[in-house]
Amino acid sequence: MGWLADWRRRRVLQKHRIDDALWHRATAQLGFVPKNPKLRELALLFLAEKQLVGAHDLKVSDAMRVSIAAQACLPILELGLDWYAGFTGIVVYPGDFRVQRREIDEDGVVHEWDDELAGEAMPGGPVVLSWDAAAHDPLMNVVIHEFAHKLDMLDGLADGRPPLHAGMDGRAWQKAFADAFDGFSDALERGRDTWLDPYAAEHPAEFFAVISEAFFEDPRETRRRYPDVYDQLKLFYRQDPA
Ligand SMILES: [Zn+2]
């Protein structure tokens, strides 16, 4: 982003702010959201540049907007808003939503089915969220999850590996995540209880999104159970929440 975007952002910050009462109301239930004035500024810029729309007649209140913005901006707190370039829309459904899936298998047979989702992130497209899941599901953080997918997709591939910073070691990333993913999938296959959401075993991209939720929501436990992954996430997000 060039000088024009910088200028616009400076103006937004000069002329607007998220007032204290609204911020506290929106983040009261979110114990993992740090009391960092920088996060509030970033959330304000996020709301100025992104378009949040309600689907199915959902009225998106200011508190909902700020709650989504605060959580979405946590992963990019030290990266900046340009890491969410390439899309503006965030669609909020009142609850889980249905999407139609279509796949052609290797024999050329078309399979169609419906999926119920709490969130979805499409390459180059909007982020879609279920407000019910965002507000009430204690087992997942759908906002951090979908925005982590957006970071992963920045290089065009949802493969569990976002574009790494200069100086990061791609092989160290690969090894930390592959070992963790394999160990996790193995534990799940043996029927063991897992700390992370079992959905993480679906694909390395899901593992990255799920462990990113854990990194921000329960960083100490993430560091204890997955120290190598924690170190890589610390380098990537440029944060050490534990
Ligand atoms: Zn996902």
Side-chain angles (χ1 to χ4, degrees):
M1 292 258 169
W3 65 270
L4 186 60
D6 288 343
W7 178 80
R8 278 205 196 103
R9 286 175 183 173
R10 270 199 306 278
R11 270 177 66 94
V12 168
L13 292 176
Q14 276 162 9
K15 297 194 162 213
H16 305 273
R17 67 187 302 272
I18 299 172
D19 74 61
D20 292 350
L22 174 58
W23 180 262
H24 292 308
R25 191 149 38 95
T27 60
Q29 306 297 320
L30 309 171
F32 56 90
V33 167
K35 290 182 186 22
N36 182 340
K38 200 165 135 185
L39 182 65
R40 211 197 287 199
E41 286 193 352
L42 195 59
L44 178 63
L45 293 176
F46 177 92
L47 290 172
E49 294 182 19
K50 302 298 182 202
Q51 223 177 7
L52 267 87
V53 287
H56 289 177
D57 294 330
L58 177 70
K59 277 192 80 86
V60 184
S61 69
D62 284 348
M64 289 159 75
R65 291 160 57 80
V66 171
S67 168
I68 291 169
Q71 296 176 80
C73 287
L74 189 50
I76 55 159
L77 183 60
E78 300 299 335
L79 302 176
L81 197 50
D82 292 348
W83 282 73
Y84 290 154
F87 71 100
T88 53
I90 297 150
V91 182
V92 189
Y93 279 84
D96 289 5
F97 49 93
R98 257 170 209 282
V99 292
Q100 283 193 332
R101 302 284 191 201
R102 191 168 190 272
E103 218 170 73
I104 303 175
D105 69 19
E106 53 221 11
D107 300 321
V109 180
V110 178
H111 300 266
E112 282 180 342
W113 71 98
D114 277 357
D115 244 354
E116 276 245 316
L117 301 179
E120 192 177 34
M122 282 158 282
V127 170
V128 188
L129 302 168
S130 149
W131 176 251
D132 186 43
H136 302 122
D137 192 338
L139 297 178
M140 75 176 301
N141 186 308
V142 68
V143 180
I144 292 177
H145 183 103
E146 299 308 331
F147 281 87
H149 278 318
K150 275 293 187 189
L151 297 174
D152 180 8
M153 288 170 190
L154 265 181
D155 56 8
L157 282 176
D159 58 356
R161 177 173 159 165
L164 303 181
H165 308 298
M168 283 183 72
D169 181 350
R171 277 165 310 178
W173 177 284
Q174 193 58 38
K175 180 161 180 7
F177 275 84
D179 288 353
F181 181 76
D182 291 346
F184 183 77
S185 305
D186 200 48
L188 209 61
E189 252 168 50
R190 288 160 193 260
R192 293 215 198 106
D193 269 347
T194 55
W195 177 64
L196 285 177
D197 185 343
Y199 190 62
E202 291 272 315
H203 188 275
E206 296 304 342
F207 189 84
F208 170 71
V210 169
I211 205 153
S212 289
E213 297 171 47
F215 178 79
F216 290 106
E217 284 200 326
D218 197 348
R220 294 218 173 113
E221 196 60 17
T222 306
R223 186 178 60 184
R224 194 176 75 76
R225 290 175 184 261
Y226 296 99
D228 295 344
V229 167
Y230 185 91
D231 283 344
Q232 292 301 316
L233 291 175
K234 186 172 82 178
L235 293 170
F236 172 64
Y237 288 119
R238 294 184 168 146
Q239 297 184 55
D240 189 359

